[in-house]
Amino acid sequence: MHGPASSGWLLVALCAVTGAYCLVRMRSGGEALMGFGMAAMAVPAAVFTPPSWAWLAYAFVFGAASVRALWAARAGAHHLHHLAGAAAMVYMSVVMAGSPAHAHGQGGSGVPLLTGALLLYFAGYVLLTGVRLVPVTAVAGSGAGRGGSAGWGDRPELARACRLSMGIAMVAMLLTL
């Protein structure tokens, strides 16, 4: 990501923690890959500018993740969000690979219509996920069902918060294109 270093480092931390949580849950390798990939892409350019081939490697990895998400979508529509996320990562990688090194952070290097559509999708996703998170935390904090056997990694509000943070990070990264 190319922009202010402080926001870049915050995105790196947010995405790395999210990826680590998804890895600990071991339920969605795709979400962990997305979190770690977003963390790597969010490293401020002033600290580290990846070689030009790295962006093509990102595009290849997330292209493979897109194919996997498309295949998984046969089993359930919720995988379509993974497809949108992986496709957005491919798009951002291709834009970064095609942009000259001095133009990073200048904005305007992506296709405005596609960038706008992705921004609308992820902004809507963030709002919807945030709304869904509110009732879950109210129920979880009410004291009902405290004798349950669900571990900390199985709590639905943590999974939603994880997805919410990755959606927010995706919006922030798309805004810098």
Side-chain angles (χ1 to χ4, degrees):
M1 186 174 113
H2 304 284
S6 60
S7 62
W9 284 118
L10 287 172
L11 276 174
V12 169
L14 176 71
C15 294
V17 167
T18 301
Y21 172 73
C22 293
L23 200 58
V24 167
R25 282 181 53 221
M26 290 302 287
R27 291 212 175 124
S28 177
E31 287 179 339
L33 174 68
M34 188 72 72
F36 290 129
M38 289 173 69
M41 289 178 79
V43 172
V47 175
F48 175 71
T49 302
S52 59
W53 59 265
W55 298 114
L56 296 176
Y58 286 141
F60 177 77
V61 167
F62 287 105
S66 294
V67 170
R68 182 179 182 278
L70 184 60
W71 183 260
R74 296 176 316 123
H78 69 278
H79 292 286
L80 292 175
H81 172 69
H82 295 281
L83 176 61
M89 294 293 283
V90 170
Y91 170 66
M92 288 188 290
S93 299
V94 169
V95 167
M96 296 304 280
S99 298
H102 64 278
H104 290 229
Q106 304 278 328
S109 18
V111 178
L113 186 61
L114 184 54
T115 303
L118 288 169
L119 276 169
L120 281 174
Y121 171 78
F122 283 103
Y125 179 79
V126 164
L127 292 173
L128 183 63
T129 304
V131 166
R132 287 181 178 167
L133 189 61
V134 172
V136 171
T137 55
V139 170
S142 68
R146 289 194 180 244
S149 62
W152 67 270
D154 294 327
R155 297 180 60 156
E157 67 271 17
L158 287 177
R160 285 186 181 140
C162 180
R163 291 183 190 108
L164 177 66
S165 65
M166 289 199 326
I168 292 168
M170 187 67 78
V171 169
M173 292 174 76
L174 286 165
L175 284 173
T176 63
L177 281 184

